[in-house]
Amino acid sequence: MDKNDIANIRKQFKVDNDLLKIHEIFNVYIMKESSDIYHHQSSPFEMLETEQQELFMDNFKKVLSGQLDEKLFELKFQRDVDNSSQLILHQGLLSNDTEEWKGDMLQLVEKMIKDKQYEMDIVVTFIRGEYMRPMKNRSDEAEESERDTVYSHPFILCSMNKTQDPKKELLFDYVEKEFKYNIVVDPIINLKAPISGFLFPSITDNAQDANHVLYSTGKKNELNYHFVEEVLNAEEIMTAAQDKLVFEEIVKNVAGDQNINTSTLSNVYEEINRVGEENEEEDIPKLDYKDVENVLTSSGIEDVNTEKVESAFKTVIDDEKYEFKATNIVPKYNSKSIKIETKIANISISPQDLRHVRQVHFNGKRFLMMEVEENTVIEGFEMIPEALFQKAPEDSEDGQ
């Protein structure tokens, strides 16, 4: 699934939407002390009060919110696994019997609580429904409405939510005209911040893919490996942050003692962007060890060769066939600024402007120098240019 596929289904989660039919909702309450199932309950979704439906709809949208490879991950199921979650989910999707479906979902819950201790009581919510996406008209003159023909996608969505203790509050009773202490002992289910969840099956370009599941984590770049591997039985995956870190370590390994200044780093980003554009037929452009070799060579890093790059892949990630997603390692792709961190200040700069930044030595000190085309304005005050570098050019040099 790409961000458009996810956005298309996420926006359908609203009450009284004829393009989304939720047939059943199944809630399971797990106790933190024993990790036991304390209670479970199912009902037709349409039997819930409107206010309840709206709360759950907002919760489901949050499960499907976030950036790919940061908060949302399309995972591939492992092969040849005993008690496979892929098979359990597929059976639950096809079953016409509510009790059978509940039994399938309880098998997944058993996986969630096996060898796992939660800090708070947990509520796991499953829904089974159908998402319908209209086909586009073949021509503007077609009499048939585009909503008359749709792609139909049956799905199962899971949301895991923590409970929290009720707040202690002081109330004023208008009738009795007195202040009262609000005594509530029932735990509150926090539907505003799901800690995990998933959507099965994956949907790409209006085609269902039962070999993949869309996994949602509660915090950005923090995978729950127990959930990924033991609950979903999915293959291991790396976050965008981990992908970028591995790439940086490989570059350092290949470069060795060479200093990488801002010009070289800017060249690296531009070369990756160029490789991505050459492979634009791919949904997500990727770089293998050969692409990395070409990028580093073209960026000005010396003594780069295939053997050295393959060795770096093997040393850093133990997989010379690994492929990086360009979206994870190039700020230009993910629309993020480059962060320059110092003890004095943190600066954010667009990738294309990185070449205008230099770290220099002057009078035995390091300075961050930034080339600008106009006078700098700080808090409304225009800075007056100062003559700083009075010595000969050889006293100032690029450094890292």
Side-chain angles (χ1 to χ4, degrees), residues 188-383:
I188 297 171
I189 302 170
N190 184 5
L191 294 177
K192 295 182 179 180
I195 61 172
S196 192
F198 62 83
L199 173 72
F200 173 84
S202 178
I203 302 170
T204 302
D205 293 331
N206 298 313
Q208 290 186 298
D209 181 3
N211 292 317
H212 289 83
V213 58
L214 184 69
Y215 162 67
S216 172
T217 183
K219 295 182 180 180
K220 186 170 67 173
N221 285 314
E222 292 188 15
L223 286 173
N224 183 334
Y225 290 100
H226 171 266
F227 198 93
V228 171
E229 298 173 10
E230 302 300 327
V231 178
L232 293 177
N233 303 137
E235 294 182 355
E236 185 178 348
I237 195 170
M238 291 205 298
T239 67
Q242 292 170 328
D243 218 23
K244 188 174 186 297
L245 181 61
V246 168
F247 176 78
E248 291 170 354
E249 289 300 315
I250 286 176
V251 173
K252 293 175 184 177
N253 188 292
V254 174
D257 296 331
Q258 298 179 55
N259 289 330
I260 301 178
N261 58 28
T262 52
S263 293
T264 303
L265 189 57
S266 179
N267 290 339
V268 169
Y269 289 145
E270 289 187 2
E271 283 298 313
I272 294 175
N273 181 57
R274 182 186 59 78
V275 172
E277 290 176 348
E278 291 179 353
N279 299 328
E280 60 183 2
E281 69 278 359
E282 300 179 15
D283 291 336
I284 302 177
K286 296 181 179 180
L287 291 85
D288 59 15
Y289 75 94
K290 198 65 181 176
D291 293 319
V292 172
E293 177 187 352
N294 294 334
V295 164
L296 299 185
T297 301
S298 302
S299 300
I301 297 178
E302 300 176 354
D303 300 324
V304 178
N305 55 58
T306 301
E307 183 179 352
K308 186 179 289 188
V309 175
E310 284 186 321
S311 176
F313 270 68
K314 188 70 175 177
T315 300
V316 176
I317 197 173
D318 195 25
D319 182 5
E320 63 271 24
K321 302 301 182 183
Y322 184 77
E323 293 183 327
F324 295 99
K325 292 182 180 179
T327 50
N328 291 345
I329 59 178
V330 182
K332 190 171 183 179
Y333 267 118
N334 53 33
S335 302
K336 291 182 179 178
S337 299
I338 294 172
K339 294 182 180 179
I340 303 174
E341 299 180 353
T342 71
K343 290 183 178 180
I344 303 300
N346 295 331
I347 303 170
S348 294
I349 188 170
S350 60
Q352 59 267 29
D353 292 329
L354 181 61
R355 60 178 62 255
H356 300 301
V357 179
R358 294 287 187 275
Q359 178 177 263
V360 300
H361 289 115
F362 179 70
N363 285 346
K365 297 182 179 180
R366 296 180 188 179
F367 291 84
L368 190 66
M369 185 175 69
M370 185 180 302
E371 178 187 345
V372 295
E373 297 180 354
E374 66 284 321
N375 286 345
T376 303
V377 178
I378 302 178
E379 295 292 336
F381 295 94
E382 186 172 310
M383 298 292 99

Side-chain angles (χ1 to χ4, degrees), residues 4-17:
N4 293 325
D5 294 314
I6 296 169
N8 283 330
I9 187 170
R10 182 177 62 239
K11 68 182 181 182
Q12 303 303 330
F13 281 91
K14 49 191 175 185
V15 177
D16 296 328
N17 177 17

Side-chain angles (χ1 to χ4, degrees), residues 126-168:
F126 297 96
I127 57 171
R128 182 166 59 159
E130 185 178 10
Y131 156 55
M132 289 160 283
R133 187 174 179 185
M135 297 181 184
K136 293 182 179 179
N137 287 332
R138 295 185 178 179
S139 69
D140 294 336
E141 298 177 355
E143 295 182 0
E144 183 182 26
S145 168
E146 66 172 15
R147 294 174 71 93
D148 291 340
T149 308
V150 298
Y151 295 103
S152 176
H153 301 296
F155 69 88
I156 291 174
L157 184 142
C158 169
S159 175
M160 291 184 68
N161 301 278
K162 283 186 177 182
T163 62
Q164 58 191 41
D165 295 330
K167 295 181 179 180
K168 298 178 181 180

